[in-house]
Amino acid sequence: MPYFDTASSAPLHPVARQALLAALDEGWADPSRLYREGRRARLLLDAAREAAAEAVGCRPDELVFTPSGTRAVHDGIAGALAGRRRAGRHLVVSAVEHSSVLHAAAAHEADGGTLTEVPVDRTGRVALGAYAAALREAPDGVALACLQSANHEVGTLQPVAEAAEECAAAGVPLLVDAAQSLGWGPTEGNWSALTASAHKWGGPAGVGLLAVRKGVRFRTVPPTDERESGRSPGFENLPAIVAAAASLRAVRAEAAAEAERLRGLVDRIRARVPELVPDVEVVGDPERRLPHLVTFSCLYVDGEALLHELDRAEFSVSSGSSCTSSTLTPSHVLRAMGVLSEGNVRVSLPRGTAEAEVDRFLEVLPGVVAQVRERLGAPKPAQAAVAPDPDPVPEPEVALVVDSLGKRCPIPVIELAKVIGEVPVGGVVVVLSDDEAARLDIPAWCEMRGQTYEGERTADRGVAYRVRRRA
C-alpha cells in the first residue's frame, strides 16, 4: 500500500533500524557514569552528537538531543525569550509556522509577552519586507524571531538566509524550525538556533534536535538537571539517538539523487492533477519548494470523505481541510495563504517511491473525486471558462439568498455553485454560513470560477457572504 504522508512521519530508514538494534545491545547504560558500560554509552552519545552537528552545520557542543521535535521548539523558544528578557518581550513569527511554534507563541502571549504574525503570499512564502518591518516596528524590544525553513503543508521554502540577515541587522536572534528540510540538506544563513525532529527524515520517533549557536543569549527554563548541558532534562534515549544520527547521515548521503528523482514525480503530479480532475487548485510555490511534497484542493469535495476513499484505494495521504479536523476550522496555513481549503490533499513521497505508484495514484484520483462529488450532489464540472463581459449592460441588482446555516464544508460552496446561474450577470447571491471554512472557500471559489467576491457582514446567525455574478 503506497504511503504518501512522509511529511507527517517518514518510514524508518534501514540504517536507523540497524543502528537502533545495535545500540540496544551496546548503549543501554548511563553515559554519565565512569565505569566501562557507562564509558561505552558515552562514546556512542558523543559520536551521535558529532554526526548530527555535522549535518546541522554547528559545533557538537552547540547541539543537544530532546525527547521530540516539539519539545525542541518549545525549549528553544522559551530559552531564547528568557535569555533576552531584558531586550524585550516581543516575538515575531510567520503566519504559517508549525503548530508547535504557534502554541509556544500563544503561551508567551498568555505570560504577558507580545507577538507579531507576519503574513505570507498565496504561495505560502513570507515577504522579506514585511518580516523586516515586523522586526523594526515592534511595540517593544524584539527578543526572538522564528521562521521555518520549509512549510510542512505546502512545501514552500522560506527565505531563511535573507531573514537571518535582517535579524542580524536588527540585533535579533533567529530560530529556525528545520524539521521538514534537514534531511534534504543544511539550513543556509546565519541562524541563531535550530530545531528538528528525527521521525521526519526516517529516524525513530522520540528524538529531537536543538542547536543554539555560541554567543546567543539563552537561559534554560527550570526545572533542569545535568543532562544535555542542562538544556534537556531526563535520561537520554541513547539507542534512539544513535539511530537518529545514523539515519540522518544516511539520508543526507542519498539526498541529492533522491531529491532530483522525487522532484520529477512531484512535477508530474502538479501537472497532471489539474488536467485529470476539474476544478482543482494546486497550491504552494511551484519552484522554491521541497522536492517530495505537493498539495492541491478540490472544489465541492469533503476532505475527510476523500481521504477515506483514497485509503480504500490503498493510498495514504494527508489533508489540511477543515472537514478532516475535529475543530472544523481550516488549516491555519491554507487560511494564511488565502487558498481553497475544501477537498485538500497533501502528497509527500517517501524515498524510494516508484514511478508506478505515482501513475496508479493519478489513475485512481479522478474517479475517487468524482465519486465524492456525486455523493454530495455537487454541480457538474464547469465547461471552458466564459470571460466576463467587459462592459455589461446594467441590470437591476438581484439578491438571491442561500441559507447554509448549520451546514459544513463543502456544502455552502456547492449550494452557491448551483444557484449562481439563477441570477443575471451583475446580480448578487448572498450565502449565509456559520462554518469558519466558508470565509476562505467562498472567496477562493469566486477566484477559480471568475465571479466577484464583495466581502462579508455579520448576520443574525453566522456570516453573510456576498458574491456578484460576472460570467
Side-chain angles (χ1 to χ4, degrees):
M1 178 172 178
Y3 176 78
F4 287 176
D5 193 24
T6 190
S8 292
S9 188
L12 194 67
H13 195 282
V15 169
R17 184 182 299 276
Q18 295 168 4
L20 181 63
L21 294 175
L24 287 171
D25 292 331
E26 298 293 328
W28 49 267
D30 187 342
S32 67
R33 302 306 178 195
L34 298 179
Y35 42 71
R36 180 179 55 220
E37 294 85 356
R39 294 197 305 272
R40 185 183 302 132
R42 169 55 63 178
L43 288 173
L44 289 173
L45 180 58
D46 288 346
R49 197 183 314 279
E50 289 178 7
E54 181 181 4
V56 169
C58 67
R59 294 168 36 162
D61 59 352
E62 294 174 331
L63 184 145
V64 299
F65 295 103
T66 65
S68 68
T70 296
R71 188 75 261 166
V73 167
H74 290 176
D75 289 349
I77 291 176
L81 290 172
R84 284 179 46 83
R85 195 176 181 101
R86 291 184 178 180
R89 299 212 61 201
H90 195 75
L91 175 64
V92 173
V93 303
S94 84
V96 294
E97 294 297 313
H98 189 269
S99 58
S100 60
V101 173
L102 299 184
H103 291 160
H108 172 64
E109 281 193 293
D111 191 42
T114 55
L115 173 70
T116 296
E117 283 193 11
V118 182
V120 297
D121 61 21
R122 283 185 64 85
T123 71
R125 186 176 171 90
V126 166
L128 275 175
Y131 203 86
L135 297 173
R136 295 191 307 267
E137 299 168 6
D140 51 13
V142 179
L144 177 67
C146 300
L147 184 63
Q148 59 187 188
S149 55
N151 187 260
H152 49 293
E153 290 196 27
V154 300
T156 297
L157 299 178
Q158 298 293 353
V160 171
E162 296 88 342
E165 292 180 5
E166 297 289 352
C167 287
V172 175
L174 175 66
L175 183 146
V176 178
D177 169 17
Q180 290 295 335
S181 69
L182 189 59
W184 298 106
T187 301
E188 303 296 334
N190 188 28
W191 48 264
S192 304
L194 180 142
T195 64
S197 185
H199 74 100
K200 301 294 187 181
W201 66 68
V207 179
L209 306 180
L210 170 60
V212 181
R213 301 275 198 196
K214 293 294 182 182
V216 175
R217 296 187 66 85
F218 191 95
R219 181 170 66 84
T220 304
V221 177
T224 62
D225 62 18
E226 73 283 0
R227 305 279 176 176
E228 292 299 289
S229 304
R231 290 183 177 173
S232 184
F235 197 92
E236 298 94 343
N237 185 352
L238 186 53
I241 288 172
V242 170
S247 59
L248 179 56
R249 175 176 285 178
V251 300
R252 288 287 284 275
E254 306 162 354
E258 193 66 0
E260 182 178 1
R261 195 180 71 84
L262 292 182
R263 180 174 285 273
L265 295 179
V266 166
D267 285 343
R268 186 183 308 177
I269 296 173
R270 292 184 66 92
R272 292 291 290 151
V273 165
E275 296 173 355
L276 297 169
V277 182
D279 297 322
V280 165
E281 182 179 17
V282 181
V283 300
D285 196 300
E287 299 296 333
R288 295 174 294 186
R289 57 175 174 80
L290 292 171
H292 68 301
L293 194 155
V294 56
T295 297
F296 54 88
S297 299
C298 308
L299 271 178
Y300 318 131
V301 171
D302 180 316
E304 184 174 10
L306 182 55
L307 263 59
H308 281 315
E309 292 301 324
L310 286 171
D311 181 60
R312 291 178 63 185
E314 300 189 336
F315 287 97
S316 301
V317 299
S318 183
S319 175
S321 170
S322 62
C323 310
T324 64
S325 169
S326 60
T327 64
L328 295 178
T329 58
S331 148
H332 71 277
V333 172
L334 301 179
R335 186 171 62 244
M337 293 167 61
V339 297
L340 184 70
S341 73
E342 65 186 54
N344 179 260
V345 175
R346 181 185 69 183
V347 173
S348 47
L349 306 178
R351 290 170 171 83
T353 298
E355 289 186 28
E357 293 176 334
V358 171
D359 289 340
R360 192 166 78 82
F361 175 76
L362 293 172
E363 291 174 3
V364 166
L365 182 67
V368 169
V369 174
Q371 179 181 346
V372 175
R373 284 175 171 167
E374 182 177 5
R375 187 187 309 160
L376 292 172
K380 296 299 182 182
Q383 301 300 316
V386 179
D389 187 343
D391 188 22
V393 177
E395 297 257 7
E397 181 165 304
V398 178
L400 179 63
V401 177
V402 175
D403 186 349
S404 291
L405 294 169
K407 300 175 182 178
R408 301 302 175 190
C409 73
I411 300 303
V413 176
I414 288 176
E415 293 184 340
L416 167 62
K418 285 182 174 181
V419 303
I420 191 71
E422 297 179 13
V423 298
V425 173
V428 170
V429 176
V430 174
V431 182
L432 300 177
S433 177
D434 52 4
D435 182 10
E436 180 64 26
R439 179 168 283 114
L440 188 60
D441 289 347
I442 289 176
W445 176 88
C446 291
E447 182 164 332
M448 293 176 70
R449 303 272 24 103
Q451 311 299 346
T452 299
Y453 177 66
E454 295 190 342
E456 64 177 70
R457 63 174 178 81
T458 303
D460 292 338
R461 291 187 300 147
V463 177
Y465 300 94
R466 186 180 173 92
V467 177
R468 187 177 297 275
R469 184 183 177 193
R470 295 178 56 219

